Coordinates of all heavy atoms in Angstrom, one line a residue:
M285 N 0.1 50.5 37.6 CA 0.3 49.4 36.6 C 1.2 48.4 37.3 O 2.2 48.8 38.0 CB 1.1 50.0 35.3 CG 1.3 49.0 34.3 SD 2.1 49.7 32.9 CE 1.1 50.9 32.3
P286 N 0.9 47.1 37.1 CA 1.7 46.0 37.8 C 3.2 46.1 37.2 O 3.4 46.8 36.2 CB 1.1 44.7 37.2 CG -0.2 45.2 36.7 CD -0.1 46.6 36.4
G287 N 4.1 45.4 37.7 CA 5.5 45.5 37.4 C 5.7 44.7 36.2 O 4.8 44.2 35.5
L288 N 7.0 44.5 35.7 CA 7.3 43.9 34.5 C 7.3 42.4 34.6 O 7.5 41.8 35.7 CB 8.7 44.3 34.1 CG 9.0 45.7 33.9 CD1 10.5 46.0 33.5 CD2 8.1 46.3 32.8
K289 N 6.8 41.7 33.5 CA 6.9 40.3 33.6 C 7.9 39.9 32.6 O 8.0 40.5 31.4 CB 5.5 39.8 33.0 CG 5.4 38.3 33.0 CD 4.0 37.8 32.7 CE 3.8 36.4 32.7 NZ 2.5 35.9 32.3
K290 N 8.8 38.9 33.0 CA 9.9 38.5 32.2 C 9.7 37.2 31.6 O 9.2 36.3 32.2 CB 11.3 38.5 33.1 CG 12.5 38.4 32.4 CD 13.7 38.3 33.4 CE 14.1 39.7 33.7 NZ 15.3 39.8 34.5
R291 N 10.0 37.2 30.3 CA 10.0 35.8 29.6 C 11.3 35.5 29.0 O 12.0 36.5 28.4 CB 8.9 36.0 28.4 CG 7.6 36.3 28.9 CD 6.6 35.2 28.9 NE 5.2 35.6 29.3 CZ 4.2 35.5 28.6 NH1 4.2 35.0 27.4 NH2 3.0 35.8 29.0
S292 N 11.6 34.3 29.0 CA 12.9 33.7 28.5 C 12.6 33.3 26.9 O 11.5 32.7 26.8 CB 13.4 32.6 29.2 OG 13.8 33.0 30.5
V293 N 13.4 33.6 26.1 CA 13.4 33.3 24.7 C 14.7 32.8 24.2 O 15.7 33.4 24.6 CB 12.8 34.5 23.7 CG1 11.3 34.6 24.1 CG2 13.5 35.6 23.9
N294 N 14.7 32.1 23.1 CA 15.9 31.7 22.4 C 16.1 32.5 21.1 O 15.2 32.3 20.4 CB 15.9 30.2 22.2 CG 17.3 29.7 22.4 OD1 18.3 30.3 22.4 ND2 17.4 28.3 22.3
L295 N 17.0 33.4 20.9 CA 17.1 34.2 19.8 C 18.4 33.8 19.2 O 19.6 34.1 19.7 CB 17.1 35.7 20.1 CG 15.7 36.1 20.7 CD1 15.9 37.5 21.1 CD2 14.6 35.9 19.7
A296 N 18.4 33.3 17.8 CA 19.7 33.0 17.0 C 20.5 32.1 18.0 O 21.7 32.3 18.0 CB 20.4 34.4 16.8
G297 N 19.9 31.2 18.6 CA 20.6 30.2 19.5 C 21.2 30.6 20.8 O 21.9 29.9 21.5
H298 N 20.8 31.8 21.2 CA 21.3 32.5 22.5 C 19.9 32.7 23.4 O 19.0 33.3 23.0 CB 22.0 33.7 22.3 CG 23.2 33.5 21.5 ND1 24.3 33.0 22.0 CD2 23.4 33.9 20.2 CE1 25.3 33.0 21.0 NE2 24.8 33.5 19.9
A299 N 20.0 32.1 24.6 CA 19.1 32.3 25.6 C 19.1 33.9 26.0 O 20.2 34.3 26.4 CB 19.1 31.4 26.8
T300 N 18.0 34.5 26.1 CA 17.9 35.9 26.5 C 16.5 36.1 27.2 O 15.7 35.1 27.1 CB 18.1 37.0 25.5 OG1 18.2 38.2 26.0 CG2 17.0 36.8 24.5
S301 N 16.3 37.1 27.7 CA 15.0 37.4 28.4 C 14.5 38.8 28.1 O 15.3 39.6 27.7 CB 15.0 37.2 29.9 OG 15.9 38.1 30.4
V302 N 13.2 38.9 28.0 CA 12.6 40.2 27.6 C 11.5 40.5 28.8 O 10.8 39.6 29.2 CB 11.8 40.0 26.4 CG1 11.3 41.4 25.9 CG2 12.7 39.5 25.3
A303 N 11.7 41.7 29.3 CA 10.8 42.2 30.5 C 9.9 43.2 29.8 O 10.3 44.2 29.4 CB 11.6 42.6 31.5
L304 N 8.5 43.0 30.0 CA 7.5 43.8 29.4 C 6.4 43.9 30.5 O 6.3 43.0 31.2 CB 7.0 43.4 28.1 CG 7.9 43.3 26.9 CD1 7.2 42.7 25.7 CD2 8.4 44.8 26.5
E305 N 5.6 44.9 30.4 CA 4.5 45.0 31.2 C 3.4 44.0 30.7 O 3.4 43.7 29.5 CB 3.8 46.5 31.2 CG 4.6 47.5 31.8 CD 5.9 48.0 30.8 OE1 6.0 47.5 29.7 OE2 6.6 48.8 31.4
P306 N 2.6 43.3 31.7 CA 1.7 42.4 31.3 C 0.9 42.7 30.2 O 0.5 41.9 29.3 CB 0.9 42.2 32.6 CG 1.8 42.5 33.6 CD 2.6 43.6 33.1
E307 N 0.4 44.0 30.1 CA -0.5 44.4 29.0 C 0.2 44.2 27.6 O -0.6 43.9 26.7 CB -0.9 45.9 29.2 CG -1.7 46.2 30.4 CD -0.8 46.3 31.7 OE1 0.4 46.2 31.7 OE2 -1.5 46.6 32.9
F308 N 1.4 44.5 27.5 CA 2.1 44.3 26.3 C 2.2 42.8 25.9 O 2.1 42.4 24.7 CB 3.5 44.9 26.3 CG 3.5 46.4 26.3 CD1 3.7 47.2 27.2 CD2 3.1 47.1 25.0 CE1 3.7 48.6 27.2 CE2 3.1 48.5 25.0 CZ 3.4 49.2 26.1
W309 N 2.4 42.0 26.8 CA 2.5 40.5 26.6 C 1.2 40.0 26.0 O 1.1 39.3 25.2 CB 2.8 39.7 27.9 CG 4.3 39.8 28.1 CD1 4.9 40.4 29.2 CD2 5.4 39.4 27.3 NE1 6.2 40.2 29.2 CE2 6.6 39.7 28.1 CE3 5.5 38.9 26.1 CZ2 7.9 39.4 27.5 CZ3 6.8 38.5 25.6 CH2 8.0 38.7 26.2
V310 N 0.0 40.6 26.6 CA -1.3 40.1 26.1 C -1.4 40.5 24.7 O -1.9 39.7 23.9 CB -2.4 40.8 26.9 CG1 -3.8 40.6 26.3 CG2 -2.4 40.3 28.4
V311 N -1.0 41.6 24.3 CA -1.1 42.0 22.8 C -0.3 41.2 22.0 O -0.6 40.8 20.9 CB -0.9 43.5 22.6 CG1 -0.9 43.9 21.1 CG2 -1.9 44.3 23.4
L312 N 1.0 41.0 22.4 CA 1.9 40.1 21.6 C 1.4 38.7 21.5 O 1.5 38.0 20.4 CB 3.4 40.2 22.2 CG 4.0 41.5 22.1 CD1 5.3 41.4 23.0 CD2 4.3 42.0 20.7
E313 N 0.8 38.2 22.5 CA 0.3 36.8 22.6 C -1.0 36.8 21.5 O -1.1 35.8 20.7 CB -0.2 36.3 23.8 CG 0.9 36.1 24.7 CD 0.5 35.9 26.2 OE1 -0.7 36.4 26.6 OE2 1.3 35.5 27.0
T314 N -1.7 37.8 21.5 CA -2.8 38.0 20.5 C -2.3 38.0 19.1 O -2.9 37.4 18.2 CB -3.7 39.3 20.8 OG1 -4.2 39.1 22.1 CG2 -4.7 39.3 19.8
I315 N -1.3 38.8 18.8 CA -0.7 38.8 17.4 C -0.2 37.4 17.0 O -0.5 36.9 15.9 CB 0.5 39.8 17.3 CG1 0.1 41.3 17.7 CG2 1.3 39.7 16.1 CD1 1.2 42.3 18.0
A316 N 0.6 36.7 18.0 CA 1.1 35.4 17.7 C -0.1 34.4 17.4 O 0.0 33.7 16.4 CB 1.9 34.8 18.9
K317 N -1.1 34.5 18.2 CA -2.2 33.6 17.9 C -3.0 33.9 16.7 O -3.3 32.9 15.8 CB -3.3 33.7 19.0 CG -2.9 33.1 20.3 CD -3.9 33.2 21.3 CE -3.5 32.6 22.7 NZ -4.4 32.8 23.8
E318 N -3.2 35.2 16.2 CA -3.7 35.5 14.9 C -2.8 35.0 13.8 O -3.4 34.6 12.8 CB -3.9 37.1 14.8 CG -5.2 37.5 15.5 CD -5.5 38.9 15.3 OE1 -4.7 39.6 14.3 OE2 -6.4 39.5 15.8
R319 N -1.6 35.0 14.0 CA -0.7 34.7 12.9 C -0.4 33.2 12.9 O 0.3 32.7 12.1 CB 0.6 35.4 13.0 CG 0.3 37.0 12.7 CD 1.5 37.7 12.8 NE 2.5 37.3 11.8 CZ 3.8 37.7 11.8 NH1 4.2 38.4 12.7 NH2 4.6 37.1 10.9
R320 N -0.9 32.5 13.9 CA -0.7 31.1 14.1 C 0.8 30.6 14.2 O 1.3 29.7 13.7 CB -1.3 30.3 13.0 CG -3.0 30.4 13.1 CD -3.5 29.6 12.0 NE -5.0 29.9 12.1 CZ -5.9 29.5 11.3 NH1 -5.6 28.8 10.2 NH2 -7.1 29.7 11.4
I321 N 1.5 31.4 15.0 CA 2.9 31.2 15.4 C 3.1 31.2 16.8 O 2.2 31.8 17.6 CB 3.9 32.2 14.7 CG1 3.7 33.6 15.0 CG2 3.7 32.0 13.0 CD1 4.7 34.7 14.5
S322 N 4.1 30.7 17.3 CA 4.4 30.8 18.8 C 4.8 32.2 19.1 O 5.3 32.9 18.3 CB 5.4 29.8 19.2 OG 6.7 30.2 18.7
L323 N 4.7 32.6 20.4 CA 5.2 33.8 20.8 C 6.7 33.9 20.6 O 7.1 34.9 20.3 CB 4.9 34.0 22.3 CG 5.2 35.2 23.1 CD1 4.5 36.5 22.3 CD2 4.9 35.2 24.6
A324 N 7.4 32.9 20.9 CA 8.8 32.8 20.6 C 9.2 33.2 19.2 O 10.1 34.0 18.9 CB 9.4 31.5 21.0
A325 N 8.4 32.5 18.3 CA 8.7 32.8 16.8 C 8.3 34.3 16.5 O 9.1 35.1 15.8 CB 7.8 32.0 16.0
L326 N 7.4 34.9 17.1 CA 7.0 36.3 17.0 C 8.3 37.2 17.5 O 8.6 38.1 16.8 CB 5.7 36.7 17.6 CG 5.3 38.2 17.5 CD1 5.1 38.6 16.1 CD2 4.1 38.4 18.4
I327 N 8.6 36.9 18.7 CA 9.7 37.6 19.3 C 11.0 37.5 18.4 O 11.6 38.6 18.2 CB 10.0 37.2 20.8 CG1 8.8 37.4 21.6 CG2 11.2 38.0 21.3 CD1 8.3 38.7 21.8
A328 N 11.3 36.4 17.8 CA 12.4 36.3 17.0 C 12.2 37.1 15.8 O 13.2 37.7 15.3 CB 12.6 34.7 16.7
E329 N 11.0 37.1 15.2 CA 10.8 37.9 14.0 C 11.1 39.4 14.3 O 11.6 40.1 13.6 CB 9.3 37.7 13.4 CG 9.0 38.4 12.2 CD 7.6 38.2 11.8 OE1 7.1 37.1 11.8 OE2 7.0 39.3 11.4
L330 N 10.4 39.8 15.4 CA 10.6 41.3 15.8 C 12.0 41.5 16.1 O 12.7 42.6 15.7 CB 9.9 41.6 17.1 CG 8.3 41.5 16.9 CD1 7.7 41.7 18.4 CD2 7.8 42.5 15.9
D331 N 12.9 40.6 16.6 CA 14.3 40.8 16.9 C 15.0 41.0 15.7 O 15.9 41.9 15.5 CB 14.8 39.6 17.7 CG 16.3 39.8 18.0 OD1 16.8 40.8 18.5 OD2 17.1 38.8 17.6
S332 N 14.6 40.2 14.5 CA 15.3 40.4 13.2 C 14.9 41.6 12.5 O 15.7 42.1 11.6 CB 14.9 39.1 12.4 OG 13.6 39.3 11.9
K333 N 13.9 42.3 13.0 CA 13.5 43.6 12.2 C 13.8 44.9 13.1 O 13.7 46.0 12.6 CB 12.0 43.5 12.0 CG 11.5 42.6 11.1 CD 10.1 42.6 10.9 CE 9.4 41.5 9.9 NZ 8.0 41.6 9.9
R334 N 14.3 44.7 14.3 CA 14.4 45.8 15.2 C 15.7 46.8 14.9 O 15.7 47.9 15.4 CB 14.5 45.5 16.6 CG 15.8 44.6 17.0 CD 15.7 44.2 18.4 NE 16.8 43.4 18.7 CZ 17.9 43.7 19.4 NH1 18.1 44.9 19.8 NH2 18.9 42.8 19.7
G335 N 16.6 46.3 14.1 CA 17.7 47.1 13.9 C 18.5 47.4 15.2 O 18.9 46.6 15.8
E336 N 18.8 48.8 15.4 CA 19.5 49.2 16.7 C 18.6 49.4 17.8 O 19.1 49.7 18.9 CB 20.3 50.5 16.3 CG 21.4 50.3 15.1 CD 22.5 49.4 15.7 OE1 22.9 49.4 16.8 OE2 22.9 48.5 14.7
S337 N 17.3 49.3 17.6 CA 16.4 49.4 18.8 C 16.6 48.4 19.8 O 16.9 47.2 19.5 CB 14.9 49.4 18.3 OG 14.6 50.5 17.5
L338 N 16.2 48.8 21.0 CA 16.3 47.7 22.0 C 15.1 46.7 21.9 O 14.0 47.2 21.5 CB 16.1 48.4 23.4 CG 17.2 49.3 23.8 CD1 16.9 50.1 25.2 CD2 18.6 48.5 24.0
L339 N 15.3 45.5 22.2 CA 14.2 44.5 21.8 C 12.9 44.8 22.7 O 11.8 44.8 22.0 CB 14.7 43.1 22.2 CG 13.7 42.0 21.9 CD1 13.2 41.9 20.5 CD2 14.4 40.6 22.3
A340 N 13.0 45.1 23.9 CA 11.9 45.3 24.7 C 11.2 46.6 24.1 O 9.8 46.5 23.9 CB 12.2 45.5 26.2
S341 N 11.9 47.6 23.7 CA 11.2 48.8 23.2 C 10.5 48.6 21.9 O 9.4 49.0 21.6 CB 12.3 49.9 23.0 OG 12.8 50.3 24.1
F342 N 11.2 47.8 21.0 CA 10.6 47.4 19.7 C 9.4 46.6 19.9 O 8.4 46.7 19.2 CB 11.6 46.6 18.8 CG 11.3 46.6 17.5 CD1 11.3 47.8 16.7 CD2 10.8 45.5 16.9 CE1 10.9 47.6 15.3 CE2 10.4 45.4 15.5 CZ 10.6 46.5 14.7
C343 N 9.4 45.6 21.0 CA 8.3 44.8 21.2 C 7.1 45.7 21.6 O 5.9 45.5 21.2 CB 8.5 43.8 22.2 SG 9.5 42.5 21.7
R344 N 7.3 46.7 22.6 CA 6.3 47.6 23.0 C 5.6 48.4 21.7 O 4.5 48.6 21.7 CB 6.7 48.7 24.0 CG 7.1 48.0 25.4 CD 7.5 49.1 26.3 NE 7.8 48.5 27.6 CZ 9.0 48.1 28.0 NH1 10.0 48.3 27.3 NH2 9.2 47.6 29.2
L345 N 6.5 49.0 20.9 CA 6.2 49.7 19.8 C 5.3 48.9 18.8 O 4.4 49.3 18.2 CB 7.3 50.4 19.1 CG 8.1 51.5 19.9 CD1 9.2 51.9 19.1 CD2 7.1 52.7 20.1
S346 N 5.7 47.6 18.6 CA 5.0 46.8 17.7 C 3.7 46.5 18.3 O 2.6 46.4 17.6 CB 5.9 45.4 17.6 OG 7.0 45.7 16.9
A347 N 3.6 46.1 19.6 CA 2.2 45.9 20.3 C 1.4 47.1 20.1 O 0.1 47.0 19.9 CB 2.5 45.4 21.7
L348 N 1.9 48.3 20.4 CA 1.2 49.6 20.3 C 0.7 49.7 18.9 O -0.6 50.1 18.7 CB 2.1 50.7 20.7 CG 1.3 52.1 20.6 CD1 0.1 52.2 21.6 CD2 2.3 53.2 21.0
A349 N 1.5 49.6 17.9 CA 1.1 49.8 16.6 C -0.1 48.8 16.2 O -1.0 49.1 15.5 CB 2.2 49.5 15.5
Y350 N -0.1 47.5 16.7 CA -1.1 46.6 16.4 C -2.4 46.9 17.1 O -3.5 47.0 16.5 CB -0.6 45.3 17.0 CG -1.7 44.2 16.9 CD1 -2.0 43.4 15.7 CD2 -2.6 44.0 18.1 CE1 -3.0 42.5 15.8 CE2 -3.6 43.1 18.0 CZ -3.8 42.3 16.9 OH -4.9 41.5 16.9
A351 N -2.3 47.4 18.3 CA -3.4 47.9 19.1 C -4.1 49.1 18.4 O -5.3 49.2 18.3 CB -3.0 48.2 20.5
Q352 N -3.3 50.0 18.0 CA -3.8 51.2 17.4 C -4.6 50.9 16.1 O -5.6 51.4 15.7 CB -2.8 52.2 17.2 CG -2.4 52.9 18.4 CD -1.2 53.9 18.2 OE1 -0.4 53.7 17.4 NE2 -1.2 54.9 19.1
G353 N -3.9 50.1 15.3 CA -4.4 49.5 14.0 C -5.9 48.8 14.2 O -6.7 48.8 13.3
K354 N -6.0 48.0 15.3 CA -7.2 47.4 15.6 C -8.2 48.3 16.4 O -9.3 47.8 16.6 CB -6.9 46.2 16.5 CG -6.1 45.0 15.8 CD -7.0 44.5 14.7 CE -6.4 43.3 14.1 NZ -7.1 42.4 13.2
G355 N -7.9 49.4 16.7 CA -8.7 50.3 17.5 C -8.8 50.0 18.9 O -9.6 50.6 19.6
I356 N -7.9 49.1 19.4 CA -8.0 48.8 20.8 C -7.7 50.0 21.7 O -8.3 50.1 22.8 CB -7.0 47.7 21.1 CG1 -7.3 46.4 20.3 CG2 -6.7 47.4 22.7 CD1 -6.3 45.3 20.3
A357 N -6.8 50.8 21.3 CA -6.5 51.9 22.2 C -7.3 53.2 22.0 O -7.1 54.1 22.7 CB -4.9 52.3 21.9
K358 N -8.2 53.2 21.0 CA -9.0 54.3 20.6 C -10.1 54.5 21.8 O -10.7 53.4 22.1 CB -9.6 54.2 19.3 CG -8.5 54.4 18.2 CD -9.1 54.2 16.9 CE -8.0 54.2 15.8 NZ -8.5 53.9 14.5
R359 N -10.3 55.7 22.1 CA -11.3 56.0 23.1 C -12.4 56.9 22.4 O -12.0 57.9 21.7 CB -11.0 56.6 24.4 CG -10.1 55.6 25.1 CD -9.6 56.3 26.5 NE -8.8 55.4 27.1 CZ -8.1 55.6 28.2 NH1 -8.3 56.9 28.8 NH2 -7.3 54.8 28.9
K360 N -13.7 56.7 22.7 CA -14.7 57.7 22.2 C -14.6 59.0 22.9 O -14.3 59.0 24.2 CB -16.1 57.2 22.3 CG -16.2 55.9 21.5 CD -17.8 55.4 21.6 CE -18.0 54.2 20.8 NZ -19.3 53.7 20.9
K361 N -14.9 60.0 22.3 CA -14.7 61.4 22.8 C -16.1 61.6 23.7 O -17.1 61.1 23.2 CB -14.6 62.5 21.8 CG -13.3 62.5 21.1 CD -13.2 63.6 20.1 CE -11.9 63.6 19.5 NZ -11.7 64.7 18.4
A362 N -16.0 62.1 24.8 CA -17.2 62.4 25.5 C -18.0 63.5 25.0 O -17.6 64.4 24.4 CB -16.8 62.6 27.1

């Protein structure tokens, strides 16, 4: 698996960066496009909902939940 890809975002007026695997960024970009919001707006929304979780971890879990709900991660049994 390739290394982490870092993106800069502005959260509550503060510049920060989030480092995720490229596969997670693809899913988050898909979510943002479906919802017709920017990736930055999606990350800000996730940040507001994450509670005590680390932002990168919450982004991964959100992307995974989306993928599982869409059947992206499901595989047929042989």
Side-chain angles (χ1 to χ4, degrees):
M285 183 183 298
L288 298 176
K289 183 175 181 181
K290 192 178 278 191
R291 303 253 180 124
S292 296
V293 293
N294 214 350
L295 300 174
H298 299 283
T300 189
S301 61
V302 181
L304 300 172
E305 293 76 9
E307 296 83 357
F308 287 107
W309 285 119
V310 169
V311 176
L312 292 173
E313 289 167 351
T314 300
I315 296 168
K317 283 180 186 176
E318 278 190 8
R319 295 183 56 197
R320 296 180 179 171
I321 60 174
S322 68
L323 181 59
L326 177 64
I327 301 298
E329 181 181 316
L330 294 176
D331 182 52
S332 72
K333 295 179 179 179
R334 70 183 170 98
E336 296 296 317
S337 298
L338 297 174
L339 180 57
S341 296
F342 195 74
C343 287
R344 285 184 183 95
L345 291 173
S346 298
L348 178 61
Y350 172 86
Q352 289 177 329
K354 291 289 186 177
I356 295 170
K358 295 179 182 175
R359 295 185 180 172
K360 292 183 180 178
K361 293 183 180 179

